[in-house]
Amino acid sequence: MISLPAIVRRLEASLPALAWGLALSVAAWTCATLFWQLTAPEPVSALPSHTADPRSAARDIVRALGSGESEPAPRAQVHTDYQLIGLATGFGQRPGFALLRRPDGETLALLQDETLADGLRLVRILPDRIELAAGGRTVALRMTGADSTTSPVATSDTRTDAISTD
């Protein structure tokens, strides 16, 4: 059996090595911490957030254009006096939307398969135009330029159920 004085002598012999090991460990830890603090990028105050909801994205765009969403116009005769000023073909599995300007200057956001107050329904969104349908007629509204005041319109008498949704 080992006596207590023998244990103390062994401990006294290894105590300086233990102290040096502890001091070197603390110094290495401090240097590593300082290194990572000095080389870390600046903290980001706010991360950008992206909305995946097409309705709220369209509302944000309408607000950025300086026009608030207004009440839908009362039902009237079907007309195509709208201008297509913006469109999004889709958000992954979510539908796209179109931004239309009414003749009175108000901007409307219309989701795919949604119907305007005057009966026109957005049936198809393509990269350069949208197709609206009402009463068996299909109307194609092309994107207007920034300097253009009128929107090119093409109509056809095809049935709305014959339109493919590819």
Side-chain angles (χ1 to χ4, degrees), residues 1-159:
M1 184 175 205
I2 301 177
S3 67
L4 186 61
I7 294 174
V8 171
R9 273 188 294 246
R10 283 188 185 177
L11 188 59
E12 284 177 355
S14 62
L15 193 57
L18 287 174
W20 274 106
L22 180 64
L24 288 175
S25 298
V26 168
W29 185 289
T30 304
C31 288
T33 302
L34 288 173
F35 171 78
W36 288 117
Q37 284 179 354
L38 293 175
T39 59
E42 292 294 318
V44 177
S45 61
L47 295 174
S49 63
H50 302 284
T51 180
D53 179 35
R55 166 80 57 199
S56 61
R59 257 190 244 120
D60 292 343
I61 292 171
V62 168
R63 256 187 253 119
L65 291 173
S67 175
E69 285 196 48
S70 61
E71 294 297 318
R75 285 208 177 262
Q77 179 181 338
V78 175
H79 59 83
T80 55
D81 292 337
Y82 295 102
Q83 287 181 327
L84 178 62
I85 59 172
L87 60 86
T89 56
F91 294 88
Q93 298 297 327
R94 297 196 169 133
F97 64 88
L99 296 175
L100 301 174
R101 181 168 291 139
R102 291 194 324 203
D104 62 1
E106 288 296 318
T107 304
L108 302 171
L110 187 65
L111 291 175
Q112 188 166 353
D113 292 325
E114 200 171 42
T115 304
L116 290 167
D118 58 6
L120 289 171
R121 184 173 64 93
L122 178 59
V123 293
R124 193 167 170 194
I125 299 176
L126 299 167
D128 63 335
R129 68 185 181 279
I130 62 170
E131 291 180 358
L132 301 167
R137 295 190 62 199
T138 302
V139 178
L141 241 54
R142 296 200 178 277
M143 184 73 102
T144 60
D147 58 346
S148 176
T149 57
T150 60
S151 172
V153 176
T155 62
S156 70
D157 288 327
T158 58
R159 303 285 308 159

